[in-house]
Structure formats: C-alpha cells, structure tokens
Amino acid sequence: MLLDALRRRPIGELTVEDMRLLISQDIGLPYLLSLALEVLRDNPMAEGHMYEGDLLSAVLTRNPAVWTEFPELGRELRAIVSKLTGLPPNAQQRAERLPAQ
C-alpha cells in the first residue's frame, strides 16, 4: 500500500526515506538513481528512517546489471564512495564492482 502511494507522489516531493524504499524495491531506478546520487553527492551518509547511510546502502545493493544499463551513474557513485572511509566490507565490495572512472 505504501509503495503504491509513493509511486504516485511527484518525484520532487520524495524524501530520502521514500527514495530508499523505492530504490530497494527496484522501482523507478532510471529516475530515482540519479536523484539519489544528487543527495549522496552532498551527503553520502544521508539517512532515511533506518540508519546513517541507508540510502547509500540501497543504491549499492542494486543488481550489478543496473550499472551496466546506467554506467555514468555507476561511475558517479564510485567517485562518491571512493571518498568515504570505514565502509562495511560488503558495501566496499559492491562499490568495487561499479564501473571505473
């Protein structure tokens, strides 16, 4: 029910939590990934309602095929992640699989 309501919400009104939920369900990725990267550029550890960095985690845990489809977004995400230290090992491994600069 919540996801249906979020799908109808104008994209400009989505919160970090809304993006996290939709991205984690692979909904609207062509639009939401670029919007999420705008947020992550300014605050890589932006959080919804789960924990610090939950938006980054949602983006990083998408199927690797997404980054084949959107390599420029993958490169941008890799650049954002490359500036971070102390990522959990799983997140670091996923980041290393992103397209190279």
Side-chain angles (χ1 to χ4, degrees):
M1 199 63 120
L2 173 64
L3 290 177
D4 288 337
L6 288 178
R7 286 179 186 194
R8 289 190 295 274
R9 186 170 294 163
I11 198 164
E13 294 178 11
L14 294 174
T15 66
V16 169
E17 176 65 5
D18 297 340
M19 286 187 282
R20 183 193 69 78
L21 285 169
L22 291 166
I23 289 169
S24 67
Q25 296 296 314
D26 294 321
I27 297 171
L29 294 181
Y31 309 101
L32 294 179
L33 287 175
S34 60
L35 185 61
L37 288 178
E38 285 181 30
V39 172
L40 294 172
R41 226 179 285 127
D42 292 334
N43 180 6
M45 299 310 287
E47 66 183 279
H49 295 157
M50 299 291 290
Y51 54 88
E52 185 179 33
D54 60 5
L55 180 61
L56 177 62
S57 178
V59 171
L60 280 173
T61 55
R62 293 311 85 220
N63 186 315
V66 168
W67 309 116
T68 302
E69 190 174 342
F70 305 107
E72 68 287 347
L73 296 178
R75 285 188 291 276
E76 184 175 356
L77 179 58
R78 186 178 188 123
I80 291 168
V81 171
S82 71
K83 298 173 187 165
L84 301 176
T85 59
L87 281 178
N90 186 33
Q92 187 63 46
Q93 289 170 350
R94 288 183 177 275
E96 289 168 2
R97 291 187 213 131
L98 293 168
Q101 306 287 357

